[in-house]
Amino acid sequence: MNLIPAELSRVVLEVNMRPGFSYIGLIFIIMLMAPNILWAKNKPKDYEEYVKNEKKFLLILERIGEVLVTCILICFRDFNLRTWTAWSWWLVAAFLLMILYEIYWVRYFKSEKTMKDQYRKLLIFPVAGATLPVYAAFLLGIYGSNALLMIATVILGIGHIGIHLNHAREAWGKKERRPLALRILRRLGTLVLILFFGGIGTVIGMRNLNYLPHWGNIFGGVEEETYISLNGQEQYVVMMGRSEENPVIVYLHGGPASPDSFVTYSFAEELMDEYTFVCWDERGCGRTYYRNEDQDPNNETATFDQAEQDLDALVDYLRDRFGQEKVVIMGHSYGTILGSMYAQDHPDKVTAYIAVAQMTSLEKTDIYSYNDALERAKKMGDSILPLKTAYDAYEKDKTVQNLMEVRNAANYYHPVTEKDTAVSMAVASPYMGMEDFNWFLKEVYSMDEFVELNRHLLDYTEKFDVYDHSLEYQVPVFFISGSDDWICPVDTVKEYFEAIKAPVKGIELMDGCGHNTQYTRPEEFAELVKMLLKRQI
């Protein structure tokens, strides 16, 4: 067994709904309670008379909310500081509201301490002593992606703000009715805010629910988002499993440079009982790119040879960390290029190789797909001009952009029976972060920049032909493909499957699925993986 190289180190990150002490939560509680302790000795003279009119229902909600908010703030470490992203502005906004809260109390303590002084408006905030901490706690819940705090804050807000709004009306009397236009605008603004924050709350709630199956990993298993130093770069890895003694599966994403670590939970949670599942943002993409952007902004080190070296370092780390002699390598699409090469080069470290949508030759498979679409267009009596125009442009200039145009034109004739749900899985993912979102936008809307950043890997992929390499494997090999996959067409996968030699091999088709079988029917996909791996025994 290899020892972990000296350069390997872990930096554990936070994911939402993780139990543990929150120092940020404690700071918020102190900022909330300190003025209230002083207020207890500086109440408005006639405050007790107003208390007699408080509604019991609101009091009950206030007390329940106070207990829940206090406990959640302390008991979840979601709210602690982590790597700065655009999402961190929610924390900044929450702190700014708490600072305004302190300013509100300073103003009150310097006043004559009447009921009107206590309920005087601060900037745009009515009953600021009640509203500001509630708003701040709600924003902190968004920052920590913790739906429990958000729900508890709503309960607290209904009771606490409701009580003090009633006190404010009693203290100030009936206010002059605003013009109709202002009242309409105010109601519309309130509706927009409710829909906006309600939408955010719904998404966070979905993220939290999807994380619940992973709670069992925290106690006795492994549940980590981490950066591991691999050959001079800290690279992002997610690990999940019920027991650290289980066999390890290393998942290699497609692309190249299209990490999907944030959606692998959808099928990985079906494997967690029996395997430790590991997914990785490879060098030059996703969170790994942003982590190392300063030292390698143009991805000069992001080559295929380097990717195989990084994978080898990761495998050595995992073998040592989990006490395993070998690991299972699972690749998807482009990941099957890296996976197949690694399985052949390092059979002593690989238990089995699983190819999901095995790539054989990018150029040959796209020509195959194009020709099939051309024949279908002719049979349907459609004009073949859009197809030929796209293909001729690609022949003249074989860029990724032109290749995408060919695929888009051919896709019309290759409908997928059952669409994958990767986008909705990403929205509801407990692992989705701003850096994942930013990389996705770069890939979708900044294609020229994306291509330039990943030029080395794209050049390698365009020239790759699996038949230029050995057809003999020393480890079990298993293929899973969608019957409607025309990016890595089933016929080309079957042809390669027949050509290779391996101690054990197997192929399974998922009927009606396209290129992303694992995100179309994740439970069925996971069952296939477990079934295939049992064949090697």
Side-chain angles (χ1 to χ4, degrees):
M1 179 66 67
N2 292 349
L3 295 176
I4 301 176
E7 68 201 62
L8 286 177
S9 62
R10 290 187 296 140
V11 183
V12 178
L13 304 177
E14 303 293 341
V15 297
N16 58 54
M17 295 293 288
R18 288 292 294 264
F21 174 70
S22 172
Y23 56 84
I24 293 293
L26 179 61
I27 291 171
F28 266 64
I29 292 172
I30 292 172
M31 293 178 75
L32 175 65
M33 296 303 298
N36 280 274
I37 293 172
L38 292 175
W39 174 82
K41 298 181 179 179
N42 293 274
K43 295 180 182 179
K45 295 176 184 178
D46 50 353
Y47 185 77
E48 297 303 328
E49 292 300 318
Y50 286 76
V51 171
K52 294 177 182 178
N53 298 324
E54 291 178 354
K55 296 179 180 179
K56 290 185 178 180
F57 174 70
L58 295 178
L59 277 171
I60 291 171
L61 289 180
E62 182 186 48
R63 296 294 180 265
I64 292 173
E66 287 172 345
V67 173
L68 291 176
V69 168
T70 301
C71 292
I72 294 169
L73 281 174
I74 292 293
C75 297
F76 286 90
R77 61 192 192 196
D78 308 336
F79 317 114
N80 291 337
L81 296 176
R82 49 185 182 266
T83 304
W84 176 269
T85 68
W87 199 256
S88 303
W89 285 109
W90 291 113
L91 177 62
V92 173
F95 261 113
L96 288 176
L97 290 178
M98 289 305 294
I99 290 171
L100 284 177
Y101 177 72
E102 305 303 322
I103 292 172
Y104 158 81
W105 281 113
V106 169
R107 186 185 69 176
Y108 170 76
F109 291 134
K110 287 183 176 181
S111 72
E112 295 180 3
K113 303 181 185 65
T114 66
M115 287 296 288
K116 285 187 176 181
D117 291 324
Q118 176 157 329
Y119 293 110
R120 196 177 302 278
K121 186 177 182 180
L122 179 66
L123 299 178
I124 63 171
F125 301 101
V127 290
T131 57
L132 286 170
V134 171
Y135 296 159
F138 191 84
L139 295 186
L140 188 61
I142 295 177
Y143 168 73
S145 292
N146 190 304
L148 292 180
L149 180 58
M150 297 170 72
I151 293 170
T153 302
V154 170
I155 294 172
L156 173 63
I158 293 172
H160 189 57
I161 296 175
I163 288 171
H164 290 283
L165 278 175
N166 289 334
H167 289 340
R169 292 190 190 102
E170 294 178 64
W172 284 94
K174 190 173 182 180
K175 293 185 178 181
E176 184 179 343
R177 192 173 178 84
R178 293 185 176 89
L180 179 61
L182 286 178
R183 281 183 279 142
I184 292 174
L185 285 174
R186 185 179 179 184
R187 286 183 172 86
L188 285 175
T190 301
L191 178 61
V192 169
L193 288 175
I194 290 173
L195 291 175
F196 176 72
F197 286 106
I200 292 177
T202 300
V203 170
I204 289 175
M206 293 165 62
R207 289 166 60 103
N208 292 168
L209 286 173
N210 283 330
Y211 188 65
L212 289 180
H214 298 255
W215 262 60
N217 301 341
I218 299 172
F219 310 101
V222 55
E223 183 65 32
E224 291 182 16
E225 287 185 87
T226 185
Y227 286 102
I228 302 175
S229 182
L230 305 173
N231 298 317
Q233 277 198 5
E234 288 191 340
Q235 302 188 29
Y236 176 72
V237 176
V238 180
M239 295 181 276
M240 55 191 83
R242 296 281 187 251
S243 170
E244 293 198 358
E245 297 180 359
N246 280 339
V248 176
I249 296 176
V250 180
Y251 175 83
L252 308 176
H253 62 71
S258 296
D260 53 359
S261 301
F262 49 91
V263 284
T264 55
Y265 74 93
S266 58
F267 65 90
E269 61 190 35
E270 305 296 331
L271 299 168
M272 292 188 304
D273 287 340
E274 300 177 37
Y275 298 92
T276 296
F277 189 84
V278 178
C279 41
W280 161 47
D281 284 14
E282 296 164 23
R283 182 183 296 252
C285 67
R287 297 199 192 189
T288 296
Y289 170 76
Y290 291 114
R291 185 77 166 190
N292 301 279
E293 187 176 6
D294 290 341
Q295 71 180 68
D296 190 12
N298 299 317
N299 272 349
E300 295 300 331
T301 65
T303 65
F304 183 82
D305 288 343
Q306 185 63 63
E308 191 168 3
Q309 292 175 36
D310 290 348
L311 174 57
D312 192 42
L314 175 61
V315 168
D316 283 345
Y317 167 79
L318 295 170
R319 291 166 63 221
D320 190 273
R321 163 82 185 272
F322 297 110
Q324 304 285 334
E325 289 188 14
K326 299 181 179 183
V327 301
V328 176
I329 296 294
M330 177 191 293
H332 172 239
S333 193
Y334 160 79
T336 64
I337 298 178
L338 180 58
S340 61
M341 296 300 98
Y342 187 82
Q344 289 186 344
D345 293 341
H346 301 276
D348 56 314
K349 301 178 183 181
V350 177
T351 305
Y353 166 56
I354 301 176
V356 186
Q358 174 69 48
M359 287 190 70
T360 54
S361 165
L362 187 66
E363 183 176 14
K364 292 177 182 177
T365 54
D366 277 295
I367 291 174
Y368 178 88
S369 177
Y370 164 76
N371 286 332
D372 182 85
L374 201 64
E375 290 303 314
R376 295 190 186 200
K378 291 176 181 177
K379 289 180 180 179
M380 294 170 64
D382 292 350
S383 171
I384 62 172
L385 184 60
L387 279 164
K388 287 190 66 65
T389 300
Y391 187 74
D392 289 344
Y394 174 65
E395 280 290 284
K396 291 178 181 177
D397 187 10
K398 293 189 176 182
T399 64
V400 173
Q401 295 91 326
N402 286 339
L403 176 60
M404 292 299 104
E405 291 299 321
V406 175
R407 286 186 180 179
N408 289 336
N411 282 344
Y412 177 79
Y413 299 98
H414 297 142
V416 177
T417 304
E418 193 171 345
K419 303 287 186 181
D420 71 74
T421 56
V423 173
S424 61
M425 289 174 180
V427 171
S429 168
Y431 301 96
M432 181 74 170
M434 287 302 298
E435 290 181 334
D436 302 309
F437 182 67
N438 291 340
W439 186 261
F440 173 77
L441 290 181
K442 188 187 296 290
E443 187 174 353
V444 174
Y445 295 112
S446 304
M447 182 57 74
D448 292 341
E449 181 183 356
F450 176 81
V451 169
E452 189 58 35
L453 272 176
N454 299 285
R455 174 52 56 198
H456 297 312
L457 288 175
L458 288 167
D459 286 345
Y460 182 89
T461 305
E462 287 171 11
K463 298 173 184 176
F464 177 82
D465 189 325
V466 73
Y467 291 98
D468 293 337
H469 303 269
S470 174
L471 295 176
E472 293 192 14
Y473 287 83
Q474 298 178 47
V475 301
V477 177
F478 305 111
F479 293 163
I480 300 175
S481 284
S483 63
D484 293 347
D485 185 357
W486 285 92
I487 295 176
C488 297
V490 173
D491 287 347
T492 64
V493 176
K494 289 180 177 178
E495 182 182 0
Y496 180 62
F497 173 78
E498 295 297 331
I500 65 170
K501 294 181 180 179
V504 179
K505 65 179 186 178
I507 184 170
E508 294 291 335
L509 297 183
M510 293 182 64
D511 189 49
C513 296
H515 191 57
N516 299 319
T517 55
Q518 70 275 41
Y519 303 130
T520 306
R521 297 201 293 269
E523 293 182 5
E524 180 182 334
F525 173 81
E527 289 302 317
L528 280 178
V529 169
K530 289 188 281 189
M531 181 268 290
L532 288 170
L533 287 176
K534 288 176 182 177
R535 289 186 186 178
Q536 65 181 303
I537 300 174

